[in-house]
Amino acid sequence: MGKKEQINNEKHKDIERVQAVLQLLKKQAPLSVKQEKLCNNACVERFLKVKGENVKKAAKHLRNCLNWRDSLGIDHLIADEFSAELAEGLAYVSGHDDESRPVLIFRIKQDYQKFHSQKLFTRLLVFTLEVAIQTMAKSVEQFVILFDASFFRSASAFMNILLASLKIIADYYPGRLHKAFVIDPPSLFSYLWKGVKTFVDLAPLTMVVSSLDFEESLEFNDFTAYPRAESLRFNPSSISSNGKIGSCSSSRFSFTVSHHFDSVKPWYLSLADTSSAKVGPTTNMGPAISPLNARSYSFASPIDRTPRGNNNMGPMKKSFFPSTPLPTKSKDMVDHSEIHHPRAMRPSFFQSPAMFFKKDGGKGHTISRVDKCRESFQPFLKFYRRPYDEMIYRSKMRPPLGGLISIVSPHIRRRHMSASQRF
């Protein structure tokens, strides 16, 4: 009974804090219908959690968020404003993960900021976040963001977009971000990120990964689902190897290798079909020549061009391949067993105090941060490589974000009209 009473008391205190925040907001200025709908219990609890359960700070933060939304005109955002961005797939919701969290993908190009203002990028970011929030279930409060930085050549240009996005999410969407992944950033980004991440609130939730680490994934290297790609793959078993040495022929010409050491032209082509003839000695001279391993012997050494069955090249091997003589074994060689190496330091009985703060107690294998990032990104790899479809993304939008079509179409009602009512 004691635990149940504590849980009930904590819930009662949480409700009191939420009501106190709402009262402070209404004292400062009356809330509109849309603002009251936005400031539900779950929203106020997220602001309280960020501000350490401080009622006054949470109320001030929430009021700043409401003013920012009014200044940006978030309630009037529609998809028709971003028709070009939606067509190119610069920012969209790719799907939902195993825990029903929406996965957002941003593929902003480096030239986007040259032709568009920062305010337009902010509106595009907020529009995508609002679409993701609309697709959430009632029990879900967070989303995942994938920043594709492969289109950027400048690390500083991408850093500006990343910091602006993370600041907006931290200030006006607190408690919403589950994880953020930066994929294939420029080479200098890691150095800039090390110096900046200490000042970023959402830096612990942001990870840098490379898509090259997942190229060998069997899930995406299977060509059986794509018959056109499968038909273009090379199949060595489809080519039969003929066991003839010295010539390689086809239906149009034949390729013959000369076995004369003084030959100026070590190979020649003839239009006659000489596939049935054998050129060169009949002794066993090495591996057979087939379309898979046939090559021009003009780039080979003179020894490789001569018949391997010829034994006259015995004295020439020394001149072509000079060998370094091995050192002779001397009788006065030192016995390595008698060498006294310095004693290695034995492990001390008293370990470093830092060993006690490790999760595995210093006994197990520590996982690096890079491996953790790879394991965290593995469930979201399919969303990153999934092709973009504008119609599927637009189907996830609800009014009024979906545009004029989504607003008008549900309200269209066809009814029968008589001739007298028409005129």
Side-chain angles (χ1 to χ4, degrees), residues 106-108 146-154 158 181-186 189 384:
F106 289 91
R107 287 195 167 99
I108 307 297
L146 308 181
F147 292 98
D148 187 2
S150 60
F151 296 97
F152 280 82
R153 299 177 301 275
S154 174
F158 176 73
F181 296 95
V182 179
I183 307 169
D184 297 336
F189 174 81
Y384 173 70

Side-chain angles (χ1 to χ4, degrees), residues 18 33 36 152 285 330:
V18 171
V33 178
E36 288 182 355
F152 280 82
M285 295 164 54
S330 61

Side-chain angles (χ1 to χ4, degrees), residues 117-357:
S117 62
Q118 183 66 25
K119 184 177 180 180
L120 183 59
F121 169 73
T122 303
R123 291 175 67 85
L124 175 62
L125 172 67
V126 173
F127 173 79
T128 311
L129 296 177
E130 292 293 327
V131 173
I133 293 174
Q134 280 188 352
T135 59
M136 288 182 180
K138 293 182 179 180
S139 59
V140 180
E141 295 184 354
Q142 293 181 327
F143 48 73
V144 181
I145 299 182
L146 308 181
F147 292 98
D148 187 2
S150 60
F151 296 97
F152 280 82
R153 299 177 301 275
S154 174
S156 59
F158 176 73
M159 181 65 71
N160 295 334
I161 288 182
L162 179 64
L163 294 182
S165 304
L166 294 180
K167 182 174 177 56
I168 291 174
I169 296 172
D171 293 344
Y172 307 113
Y173 295 90
R176 287 289 193 180
L177 182 63
H178 176 66
K179 287 180 182 178
F181 296 95
V182 179
I183 307 169
D184 297 336
S187 57
L188 297 179
F189 174 81
S190 59
Y191 301 99
L192 298 178
W193 179 247
K194 286 182 181 179
V196 173
K197 67 180 181 180
T198 54
F199 306 99
V200 180
D201 296 335
L202 299 179
L205 302 177
T206 307
M207 302 179 183
V208 181
V209 296
S210 175
S211 61
L212 299 178
D213 299 336
F214 303 92
E215 282 190 348
E216 297 180 358
S217 178
L218 297 178
E219 183 179 357
F220 299 99
N221 284 346
D222 188 10
F223 288 91
T224 56
Y226 306 93
R228 291 188 61 186
E230 184 184 10
S231 62
L232 297 177
R233 298 187 69 184
F234 177 70
N235 188 9
S237 61
S238 62
I239 301 178
S240 58
S241 176
N242 48 354
K244 287 180 283 296
I245 301 173
S247 65
C248 177
S249 61
S250 66
S251 59
R252 295 187 178 181
F253 63 89
S254 64
F255 177 86
T256 307
V257 179
S258 176
H259 298 286
H260 298 285
F261 179 73
D262 298 331
S263 176
V264 180
K265 187 177 180 182
W267 53 269
Y268 64 93
L269 294 176
S270 62
L271 299 177
D273 188 7
T274 58
S275 59
S276 60
K278 291 185 179 181
V279 180
T282 58
T283 58
N284 189 8
M285 295 164 54
I289 298 177
S290 67
L292 298 179
N293 60 3
R295 63 183 180 90
S296 174
Y297 273 55
S298 60
F299 299 98
S301 61
I303 293 181
D304 291 337
R305 280 186 279 159
T306 55
R308 290 186 176 89
N310 193 358
N311 297 327
N312 298 328
M313 292 296 294
M316 293 186 63
K317 289 184 178 179
K318 293 183 180 181
S319 60
F320 276 92
F321 300 96
S323 60
T324 304
L326 295 176
T328 57
K329 295 183 179 180
S330 61
K331 297 181 180 180
D332 299 334
M333 294 184 67
V334 183
D335 189 3
H336 294 279
S337 61
E338 297 179 359
I339 299 178
H340 299 282
H341 298 281
R343 287 177 55 186
M345 295 295 294
R346 293 184 179 181
S348 176
F349 177 79
F350 299 99
Q351 297 182 357
S352 174
M355 301 295 292
F356 297 98
F357 294 96

